[in-house]
Amino acid sequence: MTSSFRSVFEDITAHSNLPDAEENVSLQMWHLLGNSPRNSPAHSGRTPLPEKYLVHRDLRPGNGARLGSENVFLEPSPMPNRPSTSNKLCCSCMADATFQLMDEVPLFSLSEGFCTPDNIQDSLAHLDQELCLLGYSSIYHKSRSKSSGRAFDLVQLVNVTNDLIAGHHKHLNKQRELEDQNHKFSSEIRHLENTQQHLKDQITSSKQDEAMHQERQRQLQAELVSQEKKMKRLQDDVRKLKSVLQSRDTQFRHDLRKKERELAKVKDRLHALAEKKKERRQGIEILNVIPRGDGHRKMWKTSKEEKKCQEEMHRSIVANYEQREKELRTENQELRETLTFLQQEVSTVFSAVSRQEREHHPMSPDSLDDEVGDGHLQMPYEAVQNIVEGKLKDQLSSMLHLIGIQTSQGIKERNCASDEAKLNDLNAGQSATKAGSEVHSRSSNGEEEEESDDDSCATPSDEVDAKLEAYKTLIMKQEELIQQTFAAAECQQDTQVAELVKDSLFIEERMTLERERKEMEAEKATFAEERKRFTDAAIRLGKDRQKFEEERTNFLKYQYLNMTPPQAASYSHAVSMATASGSMMSSPSHPMTSSHPMTPSHAVTSSVLVTSSHPMTSSHTVTSGLDKSAVSSPFQTKAASRVQVPVTSTSTLAVSSVPAGRLSVSPGTAEFYRVLDQFPSPTRGNVNTKVNNCSTTTPAKGATAQSVPPTPSTGDLYRVLDQLPSPLHNRLSLEQQPGGPSWLYKNQTTPTRGRHSMLCKVQTPQPVALRGTLFDPRRRRTWASPQCFRGVQASLFQ
Amino acid sequence: MNFSDLFQQTSGLCLFSPNGKYLANCVQYRLIVRDVRTLQILHLYTCLDAVQHIVWSPDSQFILCGMYKRGITQVWSIEQPEWTCKIDEGSAGLESVCWSPDSRHILTFANFQLRITVWSLINKSVSYIKYPKQGKKMLDFTSDGSYMALAERRDCKDYISVFSCKQWQLMKHFETDTKDLAGLEWAPNGRALAVWDSILDYKLLLYSLDGRCLSTYSAYEWALGIKCVSWSPSSQFLAVGSFDEKVRLLNHLTWKVIIDFSHPPLLEGKAVVYKEIEKKLPSLQGEVDPPGGAVFTGSSHYEVVSERPAQIPVIKADPEKANPKIGVSLAVFSPDSKYLATRNDNMPCALWIWDIRQLALVAILLQAAPVKHLEWDPCQSRLAFCTGTNKVYMWSPAGALSVDVPVEASFLVQSLRWHPEGAAVLLMGRENMCMCFIDRDKNR
């Protein structure tokens, strides 16, 4: 902008041919112009100073140089080579605005012909006059004013002009300000007008709305009325329908009754007919009458009996009521006790808290007087209802109040020891009652403790011991509690009481934990005992084996020494069983029956006979596990259960059989069979197995087959093993019915009892885990799919 | 859990003897008595016709077989297999038959509820009781067996007669405040007799032994009323299921409602929701599903649904039909009275189990098929139920489980029965049965 101004100014100065004074002025103007851009940086069209001067100087007739805004000056520039032509881009509207401005403001119009070189003096005089009128000092020298006319003082003129210009500037500024203000006001007015218009619109719209609402309200009202009418109608309908329903109901019932009467008549008729006809068919045919369950005969119906019956009934009614009354009484008593307990607890806690509170606030009311006595709670409730309820309510409200205070203020000072003791008492009392010991709740005191100990000295020693133990634990607990309280008091004084209360809440949990621990300990003890028994059994087994080895060596020795001819061999070979090899090769389709000529071959219910004969051993029979009831089975012969092989000079070493077959296997017996197998064939003991309808499982590992306890001591061992109710005792029991079509397997650990003790036991290395549904038609056994319930069973069946 | 083989039976006629030693079942006209442990046949009796009903005598000495078509009842003795007894109801016809608690009398119900005949096995004497009321639960004995309550209808009014079972002597006869009595049941302790009206009126009445009305209860009017009534074994609660899909629990002292359990289709709250997920067997290429549908179902397992609200499938009842399938028709207490199992008829696949002490729903089992039959273990809080598939389901507070019955896949469990000692469950299909032994010691 400056550059454009300057260019214009240069132009002016170049084309003007003003005198020196004029040149001076123009220089001053130049100077001014140099400052002007700084003064009016943001001015648009009305930048006063430079423009004015420019206009004043530059305007030549017919050459309408126009003032533009900012960098815009010329539109129809007289000098086409001007650099400012490049600024022709200015918008015409702005230029128009400037024109308007110039027309309006006469300041910018040139007073042409006012001062010419001819009338300069007059002009000056006129100017002087004007200036004097305006209050400026004269532009003539005062000294020479009288004598030689007035001397023109250029400096004065310049000063005055400067003043004028400054004043003019001021005025212009003022004017601009006013214009701005004016603008502002006008815009404000416009805004207000707009607002007013808007508000007016709003008013009209709200009026419309109102009208609409009113209309709607009217409509709704009308609807309401109609709905009410409808409702009334519906209600009437309902009533009518109800009455219809009722009438139908009554009609239905009436008809029903009629029908029923008819039916009753028909029945009566039928009865009569039946009575008249006396059917031959009807009646009871019974082989022989059976006696009453209690052995008495049927009694005649006499009045005496009837009376007795009535009496009995009334007795039972009375007994029922008595029972009921007793139940109610107990319940009532229990409720009373609970109430008393609660009341005591509340009052204990409350007293502790309130005492504490009193220490802090000595003025707080003592509400302990409201306490309900135990006696009150045992009185007929009807009589003391108001008292008890009122007091409890008071207590509760004051307690709530206290709690409110506590939570709001917090407890700042340390708790006194007695309060703690009291709270501990409460805890101790709870634990004591829970533990079932009769410790009084005030037993935290050592002396009292001793006293109670002394008292209980009279009772038997173990009771005393138990009590002592209980007390000791109690004391320990209390000490712990006190310690805890102190610790808590030190670190957290504020929350002390809260802690205590909280602690009392955990007592039950602690008790349950304690109980659980006790149970666990008991379990541990039983486990230890079991383990001990097992060790014993193992030791005994070892001894047994040792004994057996001895026997065997003896046996071998004896055999070597004697070398008897193989008498029994010819018929004892019929069935030889590779027992020790772990496969008992009998199957249901090929029952292996003993063909021992001396042994009567009885088709016995699946009995397993193990006979072992040896000529040299002295005749001695060992039967173990023989059950009498088994022998008395209907199809059973006694020989089946007990077989002796009466070979000359031979004897049965161990023969036993239980009708339903009981196989017990232990490493010891397997050993026994291995020993037997090792014997040379002539002297070998016969092991006959007789299995009818029997399929035996072949257990997975070598320890198999069936045996009979060879010596009484082993028998003992088995008995011991049987009696052990241990999870290790996973035996697969095989139950079978001779005539029955089905087979049933189950894992059984129940101790042997009664006639069911016969089951064949085969020790398996682990609980049988057959997967899925096995349906083996040959074996005909079914297993539950264990995967279905293995996961759940632990939780389900515990 | 071990399963026996399948045995034949007809129309679910299988019963354990009350002492738990025997198992009786019928195959057409044959009655077979087995030993429970071995399942070995102990006795086999041949009846005159196809048996329709069997009942053990309470002392487990006798068993009676009702042949309704012929109007004959035959009684067999376990101890004396050669002993016979035949009772012929004559032209009056036979509708039902039961034992008296002393095991020495048999009560036969003639057709059209003409009369009840009491036959004595002690001296062949016969007594009649006229005008019994028609219905299922119209006769009940106290648990000690000394009294019998019988609903009667005379002059279109309901009466209850209380008989002494010793002498068959009428002790009390009183009118009840019912329009059409639908059933009665003694409390297990014999102190109260619950009597309820037909489904048209919700009305429950409680009478003492001597006929005094202890209390009357009615939850609402006009709508269909009571569907089932069940005493807790402790006699402390009376559960009343009704057509409004609610079970109301009554107190035994005041006879006031303790709580009403509703069966909403959207379940909120903490109850465990078990959902049965069926695993379909992979079908071969070109394999077509058999027409029977559910015959060859795969195994299934339970999943716990944790999202809330849990959705329970609901069947819309047809209001046009009589006896709409809606409302609680089954409410059974566990033997320790701690739990109550219910089934709402319009949610047939859902089984609800409520904790009585907490008075809250403890579990809900959403089955793939409608629950057919359920029974609590007589010794503990363990529930067994079946849905007419080849599976048996169990629930206990510890969890739920579904077990495939490892026999032929065509064996669909329609009903089940616990052994009185709780060690075994008898599973009954349409024509077969199977024993399921639950070994407790092993699982402990």
Side-chain angles (χ1 to χ4, degrees), chain A residues 752-776:
Chain A
T752 54
R753 66 193 126 115
R755 50 182 294 192
H756 303 296
S757 66
M758 67 303 186
L759 309 171
C760 151
K761 293 180 203 146
V762 179
Q763 267 190 347
T764 45
Q766 74 230 19
V768 181
L770 289 175
R771 277 185 63 82
T773 310
L774 289 185
F775 188 72
D776 188 345

PDB file of all heavy atoms in Angstrom, chain A residues 752-776:
ATOM      1  N   THR A 752     -17.883-108.908  53.121  1.00  0.00           N
ATOM      2  CA  THR A 752     -18.667-110.114  52.906  1.00  0.00           C
ATOM      3  C   THR A 752     -19.720-110.226  53.977  1.00  0.00           C
ATOM      4  O   THR A 752     -19.497-109.924  55.136  1.00  0.00           O
ATOM      5  CB  THR A 752     -17.762-111.334  53.005  1.00  0.00           C
ATOM      6  OG1 THR A 752     -17.100-111.246  54.265  1.00  0.00           O
ATOM      7  CG2 THR A 752     -16.775-111.362  51.886  1.00  0.00           C
ATOM      8  N   ARG A 753     -20.878-110.629  53.568  1.00  0.00           N
ATOM      9  CA  ARG A 753     -21.916-110.833  54.571  1.00  0.00           C
ATOM     10  C   ARG A 753     -22.899-111.876  54.076  1.00  0.00           C
ATOM     11  O   ARG A 753     -23.220-111.937  52.908  1.00  0.00           O
ATOM     12  CB  ARG A 753     -22.632-109.532  54.914  1.00  0.00           C
ATOM     13  CG  ARG A 753     -23.440-108.933  53.782  1.00  0.00           C
ATOM     14  CD  ARG A 753     -23.806-107.550  54.142  1.00  0.00           C
ATOM     15  NE  ARG A 753     -23.374-106.685  53.077  1.00  0.00           N
ATOM     16  CZ  ARG A 753     -24.221-105.971  52.303  1.00  0.00           C
ATOM     17  NH1 ARG A 753     -25.486-106.008  52.523  1.00  0.00           N
ATOM     18  NH2 ARG A 753     -23.788-105.210  51.351  1.00  0.00           N
ATOM     19  N   GLY A 754     -23.324-112.640  55.042  1.00  0.00           N
ATOM     20  CA  GLY A 754     -24.365-113.621  54.788  1.00  0.00           C
ATOM     21  C   GLY A 754     -24.047-114.556  53.635  1.00  0.00           C
ATOM     22  O   GLY A 754     -22.917-114.926  53.402  1.00  0.00           O
ATOM     23  N   ARG A 755     -25.068-114.870  52.934  1.00  0.00           N
ATOM     24  CA  ARG A 755     -24.915-115.815  51.853  1.00  0.00           C
ATOM     25  C   ARG A 755     -24.341-115.162  50.609  1.00  0.00           C
ATOM     26  O   ARG A 755     -24.097-115.809  49.636  1.00  0.00           O
ATOM     27  CB  ARG A 755     -26.249-116.454  51.533  1.00  0.00           C
ATOM     28  CG  ARG A 755     -27.354-115.446  51.359  1.00  0.00           C
ATOM     29  CD  ARG A 755     -28.628-116.126  51.105  1.00  0.00           C
ATOM     30  NE  ARG A 755     -28.596-116.806  49.838  1.00  0.00           N
ATOM     31  CZ  ARG A 755     -29.682-117.298  49.262  1.00  0.00           C
ATOM     32  NH1 ARG A 755     -30.830-117.216  49.881  1.00  0.00           N
ATOM     33  NH2 ARG A 755     -29.628-117.888  48.103  1.00  0.00           N
ATOM     34  N   HIS A 756     -24.193-113.891  50.660  1.00  0.00           N
ATOM     35  CA  HIS A 756     -23.635-113.220  49.498  1.00  0.00           C
ATOM     36  C   HIS A 756     -22.129-113.106  49.585  1.00  0.00           C
ATOM     37  O   HIS A 756     -21.502-112.420  48.828  1.00  0.00           O
ATOM     38  CB  HIS A 756     -24.248-111.839  49.364  1.00  0.00           C
ATOM     39  CG  HIS A 756     -25.718-111.899  49.275  1.00  0.00           C
ATOM     40  ND1 HIS A 756     -26.329-112.517  48.230  1.00  0.00           N
ATOM     41  CD2 HIS A 756     -26.677-111.490  50.126  1.00  0.00           C
ATOM     42  CE1 HIS A 756     -27.636-112.452  48.426  1.00  0.00           C
ATOM     43  NE2 HIS A 756     -27.855-111.844  49.562  1.00  0.00           N
ATOM     44  N   SER A 757     -21.598-113.773  50.563  1.00  0.00           N
ATOM     45  CA  SER A 757     -20.160-113.648  50.766  1.00  0.00           C
ATOM     46  C   SER A 757     -19.378-114.537  49.836  1.00  0.00           C
ATOM     47  O   SER A 757     -18.170-114.598  49.908  1.00  0.00           O
ATOM     48  CB  SER A 757     -19.833-114.007  52.213  1.00  0.00           C
ATOM     49  OG  SER A 757     -20.119-115.360  52.397  1.00  0.00           O
ATOM     50  N   MET A 758     -20.076-115.222  48.975  1.00  0.00           N
ATOM     51  CA  MET A 758     -19.395-116.258  48.224  1.00  0.00           C
ATOM     52  C   MET A 758     -18.658-115.710  47.029  1.00  0.00           C
ATOM     53  O   MET A 758     -17.854-116.397  46.468  1.00  0.00           O
ATOM     54  CB  MET A 758     -20.432-117.293  47.755  1.00  0.00           C
ATOM     55  CG  MET A 758     -21.437-116.812  46.750  1.00  0.00           C
ATOM     56  SD  MET A 758     -22.386-115.425  47.219  1.00  0.00           S
ATOM     57  CE  MET A 758     -23.507-115.300  45.920  1.00  0.00           C
ATOM     58  N   LEU A 759     -18.888-114.515  46.689  1.00  0.00           N
ATOM     59  CA  LEU A 759     -18.498-114.042  45.380  1.00  0.00           C
ATOM     60  C   LEU A 759     -17.023-114.283  45.077  1.00  0.00           C
ATOM     61  O   LEU A 759     -16.175-114.204  45.938  1.00  0.00           O
ATOM     62  CB  LEU A 759     -18.781-112.558  45.282  1.00  0.00           C
ATOM     63  CG  LEU A 759     -20.191-112.235  45.703  1.00  0.00           C
ATOM     64  CD1 LEU A 759     -20.380-110.773  45.811  1.00  0.00           C
ATOM     65  CD2 LEU A 759     -21.132-112.870  44.733  1.00  0.00           C
ATOM     66  N   CYS A 760     -16.810-114.527  43.836  1.00  0.00           N
ATOM     67  CA  CYS A 760     -15.467-114.795  43.379  1.00  0.00           C
ATOM     68  C   CYS A 760     -14.692-113.487  43.346  1.00  0.00           C
ATOM     69  O   CYS A 760     -15.120-112.531  42.728  1.00  0.00           O
ATOM     70  CB  CYS A 760     -15.554-115.397  41.994  1.00  0.00           C
ATOM     71  SG  CYS A 760     -14.164-115.051  40.982  1.00  0.00           S
ATOM     72  N   LYS A 761     -13.617-113.505  44.005  1.00  0.00           N
ATOM     73  CA  LYS A 761     -12.855-112.267  44.048  1.00  0.00           C
ATOM     74  C   LYS A 761     -11.588-112.451  43.260  1.00  0.00           C
ATOM     75  O   LYS A 761     -10.820-113.381  43.497  1.00  0.00           O
ATOM     76  CB  LYS A 761     -12.490-111.914  45.476  1.00  0.00           C
ATOM     77  CG  LYS A 761     -13.691-111.560  46.284  1.00  0.00           C
ATOM     78  CD  LYS A 761     -13.258-111.220  47.654  1.00  0.00           C
ATOM     79  CE  LYS A 761     -14.407-111.410  48.615  1.00  0.00           C
ATOM     80  NZ  LYS A 761     -13.913-111.866  49.882  1.00  0.00           N
ATOM     81  N   VAL A 762     -11.380-111.618  42.353  1.00  0.00           N
ATOM     82  CA  VAL A 762     -10.144-111.669  41.585  1.00  0.00           C
ATOM     83  C   VAL A 762      -9.508-110.308  41.723  1.00  0.00           C
ATOM     84  O   VAL A 762     -10.095-109.304  41.382  1.00  0.00           O
ATOM     85  CB  VAL A 762     -10.442-111.953  40.102  1.00  0.00           C
ATOM     86  CG1 VAL A 762      -9.146-111.983  39.324  1.00  0.00           C
ATOM     87  CG2 VAL A 762     -11.185-113.244  39.965  1.00  0.00           C
ATOM     88  N   GLN A 763      -8.340-110.326  42.243  1.00  0.00           N
ATOM     89  CA  GLN A 763      -7.707-109.040  42.442  1.00  0.00           C
ATOM     90  C   GLN A 763      -7.220-108.510  41.106  1.00  0.00           C
ATOM     91  O   GLN A 763      -6.487-109.173  40.391  1.00  0.00           O
ATOM     92  CB  GLN A 763      -6.526-109.175  43.374  1.00  0.00           C
ATOM     93  CG  GLN A 763      -6.955-108.909  44.792  1.00  0.00           C
ATOM     94  CD  GLN A 763      -5.809-108.795  45.700  1.00  0.00           C
ATOM     95  OE1 GLN A 763      -4.702-109.157  45.313  1.00  0.00           O
ATOM     96  NE2 GLN A 763      -6.044-108.329  46.888  1.00  0.00           N
ATOM     97  N   THR A 764      -7.628-107.362  40.848  1.00  0.00           N
ATOM     98  CA  THR A 764      -7.169-106.733  39.621  1.00  0.00           C
ATOM     99  C   THR A 764      -6.186-105.649  39.990  1.00  0.00           C
ATOM    100  O   THR A 764      -6.290-105.056  41.059  1.00  0.00           O
ATOM    101  CB  THR A 764      -8.350-106.115  38.871  1.00  0.00           C
ATOM    102  OG1 THR A 764      -9.131-105.418  39.819  1.00  0.00           O
ATOM    103  CG2 THR A 764      -9.159-107.166  38.183  1.00  0.00           C
ATOM    104  N   PRO A 765      -5.287-105.376  39.103  1.00  0.00           N
ATOM    105  CA  PRO A 765      -4.266-104.383  39.431  1.00  0.00           C
ATOM    106  C   PRO A 765      -4.832-102.991  39.645  1.00  0.00           C
ATOM    107  O   PRO A 765      -4.306-102.221  40.396  1.00  0.00           O
ATOM    108  CB  PRO A 765      -3.337-104.405  38.238  1.00  0.00           C
ATOM    109  CG  PRO A 765      -4.038-105.147  37.168  1.00  0.00           C
ATOM    110  CD  PRO A 765      -5.038-106.015  37.813  1.00  0.00           C
ATOM    111  N   GLN A 766      -5.887-102.686  38.988  1.00  0.00           N
ATOM    112  CA  GLN A 766      -6.475-101.369  39.178  1.00  0.00           C
ATOM    113  C   GLN A 766      -7.974-101.481  38.974  1.00  0.00           C
ATOM    114  O   GLN A 766      -8.443-102.455  38.411  1.00  0.00           O
ATOM    115  CB  GLN A 766      -5.882-100.359  38.187  1.00  0.00           C
ATOM    116  CG  GLN A 766      -6.386-100.560  36.795  1.00  0.00           C
ATOM    117  CD  GLN A 766      -5.267-100.624  35.790  1.00  0.00           C
ATOM    118  OE1 GLN A 766      -4.141-100.864  36.154  1.00  0.00           O
ATOM    119  NE2 GLN A 766      -5.599-100.440  34.562  1.00  0.00           N
ATOM    120  N   PRO A 767      -8.725-100.468  39.399  1.00  0.00           N
ATOM    121  CA  PRO A 767     -10.153-100.523  39.151  1.00  0.00           C
ATOM    122  C   PRO A 767     -10.412-100.660  37.651  1.00  0.00           C
ATOM    123  O   PRO A 767      -9.801 -99.973  36.834  1.00  0.00           O
ATOM    124  CB  PRO A 767     -10.657 -99.172  39.660  1.00  0.00           C
ATOM    125  CG  PRO A 767      -9.592 -98.673  40.537  1.00  0.00           C
ATOM    126  CD  PRO A 767      -8.320 -99.306  40.130  1.00  0.00           C
ATOM    127  N   VAL A 768     -11.297-101.521  37.334  1.00  0.00           N
ATOM    128  CA  VAL A 768     -11.514-101.815  35.925  1.00  0.00           C
ATOM    129  C   VAL A 768     -12.054-100.585  35.220  1.00  0.00           C
ATOM    130  O   VAL A 768     -12.985 -99.955  35.670  1.00  0.00           O
ATOM    131  CB  VAL A 768     -12.541-102.951  35.790  1.00  0.00           C
ATOM    132  CG1 VAL A 768     -12.748-103.283  34.328  1.00  0.00           C
ATOM    133  CG2 VAL A 768     -12.028-104.154  36.522  1.00  0.00           C
ATOM    134  N   ALA A 769     -11.434-100.238  34.168  1.00  0.00           N
ATOM    135  CA  ALA A 769     -11.861 -99.068  33.428  1.00  0.00           C
ATOM    136  C   ALA A 769     -12.102 -99.455  31.981  1.00  0.00           C
ATOM    137  O   ALA A 769     -11.295 -99.210  31.103  1.00  0.00           O
ATOM    138  CB  ALA A 769     -10.799 -97.987  33.511  1.00  0.00           C
ATOM    139  N   LEU A 770     -13.180-100.095  31.795  1.00  0.00           N
ATOM    140  CA  LEU A 770     -13.529-100.439  30.424  1.00  0.00           C
ATOM    141  C   LEU A 770     -14.283 -99.273  29.829  1.00  0.00           C
ATOM    142  O   LEU A 770     -15.169 -98.708  30.444  1.00  0.00           O
ATOM    143  CB  LEU A 770     -14.420-101.680  30.411  1.00  0.00           C
ATOM    144  CG  LEU A 770     -13.711-102.960  30.768  1.00  0.00           C
ATOM    145  CD1 LEU A 770     -14.705-104.076  30.832  1.00  0.00           C
ATOM    146  CD2 LEU A 770     -12.629-103.284  29.761  1.00  0.00           C
ATOM    147  N   ARG A 771     -13.940 -98.914  28.667  1.00  0.00           N
ATOM    148  CA  ARG A 771     -14.578 -97.748  28.067  1.00  0.00           C
ATOM    149  C   ARG A 771     -15.798 -98.149  27.258  1.00  0.00           C
ATOM    150  O   ARG A 771     -15.859 -99.218  26.688  1.00  0.00           O
ATOM    151  CB  ARG A 771     -13.605 -97.023  27.156  1.00  0.00           C
ATOM    152  CG  ARG A 771     -12.679 -96.088  27.891  1.00  0.00           C
ATOM    153  CD  ARG A 771     -11.861 -95.338  26.892  1.00  0.00           C
ATOM    154  NE  ARG A 771     -12.699 -94.509  26.063  1.00  0.00           N
ATOM    155  CZ  ARG A 771     -13.134 -93.327  26.402  1.00  0.00           C
ATOM    156  NH1 ARG A 771     -12.838 -92.837  27.566  1.00  0.00           N
ATOM    157  NH2 ARG A 771     -13.874 -92.632  25.579  1.00  0.00           N
ATOM    158  N   GLY A 772     -16.707 -97.257  27.248  1.00  0.00           N
ATOM    159  CA  GLY A 772     -17.832 -97.402  26.342  1.00  0.00           C
ATOM    160  C   GLY A 772     -18.765 -98.523  26.732  1.00  0.00           C
ATOM    161  O   GLY A 772     -18.707 -99.067  27.830  1.00  0.00           O
ATOM    162  N   THR A 773     -19.575 -98.831  25.869  1.00  0.00           N
ATOM    163  CA  THR A 773     -20.560 -99.855  26.115  1.00  0.00           C
ATOM    164  C   THR A 773     -20.069-101.142  25.474  1.00  0.00           C
ATOM    165  O   THR A 773     -20.033-101.262  24.262  1.00  0.00           O
ATOM    166  CB  THR A 773     -21.884 -99.442  25.494  1.00  0.00           C
ATOM    167  OG1 THR A 773     -22.170 -98.134  25.910  1.00  0.00           O
ATOM    168  CG2 THR A 773     -22.967-100.395  25.876  1.00  0.00           C
ATOM    169  N   LEU A 774     -19.701-102.012  26.311  1.00  0.00           N
ATOM    170  CA  LEU A 774     -19.256-103.291  25.784  1.00  0.00           C
ATOM    171  C   LEU A 774     -20.430-104.239  25.840  1.00  0.00           C
ATOM    172  O   LEU A 774     -21.027-104.428  26.887  1.00  0.00           O
ATOM    173  CB  LEU A 774     -18.122-103.831  26.641  1.00  0.00           C
ATOM    174  CG  LEU A 774     -16.793-103.098  26.510  1.00  0.00           C
ATOM    175  CD1 LEU A 774     -15.774-103.828  27.324  1.00  0.00           C
ATOM    176  CD2 LEU A 774     -16.363-103.027  25.074  1.00  0.00           C
ATOM    177  N   PHE A 775     -20.734-104.746  24.750  1.00  0.00           N
ATOM    178  CA  PHE A 775     -21.765-105.764  24.806  1.00  0.00           C
ATOM    179  C   PHE A 775     -21.214-106.996  24.133  1.00  0.00           C
ATOM    180  O   PHE A 775     -21.113-107.081  22.909  1.00  0.00           O
ATOM    181  CB  PHE A 775     -23.047-105.288  24.134  1.00  0.00           C
ATOM    182  CG  PHE A 775     -24.159-106.247  24.349  1.00  0.00           C
ATOM    183  CD1 PHE A 775     -24.761-106.368  25.586  1.00  0.00           C
ATOM    184  CD2 PHE A 775     -24.551-107.095  23.333  1.00  0.00           C
ATOM    185  CE1 PHE A 775     -25.760-107.267  25.788  1.00  0.00           C
ATOM    186  CE2 PHE A 775     -25.555-107.989  23.555  1.00  0.00           C
ATOM    187  CZ  PHE A 775     -26.152-108.098  24.773  1.00  0.00           C
ATOM    188  N   ASP A 776     -20.804-107.867  24.944  1.00  0.00           N
ATOM    189  CA  ASP A 776     -20.182-109.067  24.438  1.00  0.00           C
ATOM    190  C   ASP A 776     -21.192-110.193  24.579  1.00  0.00           C
ATOM    191  O   ASP A 776     -21.499-110.621  25.677  1.00  0.00           O
ATOM    192  CB  ASP A 776     -18.928-109.367  25.262  1.00  0.00           C
ATOM    193  CG  ASP A 776     -18.142-110.489  24.662  1.00  0.00           C
ATOM    194  OD1 ASP A 776     -18.688-111.208  23.803  1.00  0.00           O
ATOM    195  OD2 ASP A 776     -17.002-110.657  25.056  1.00  0.00           O
TER     196      ASP A 776
END
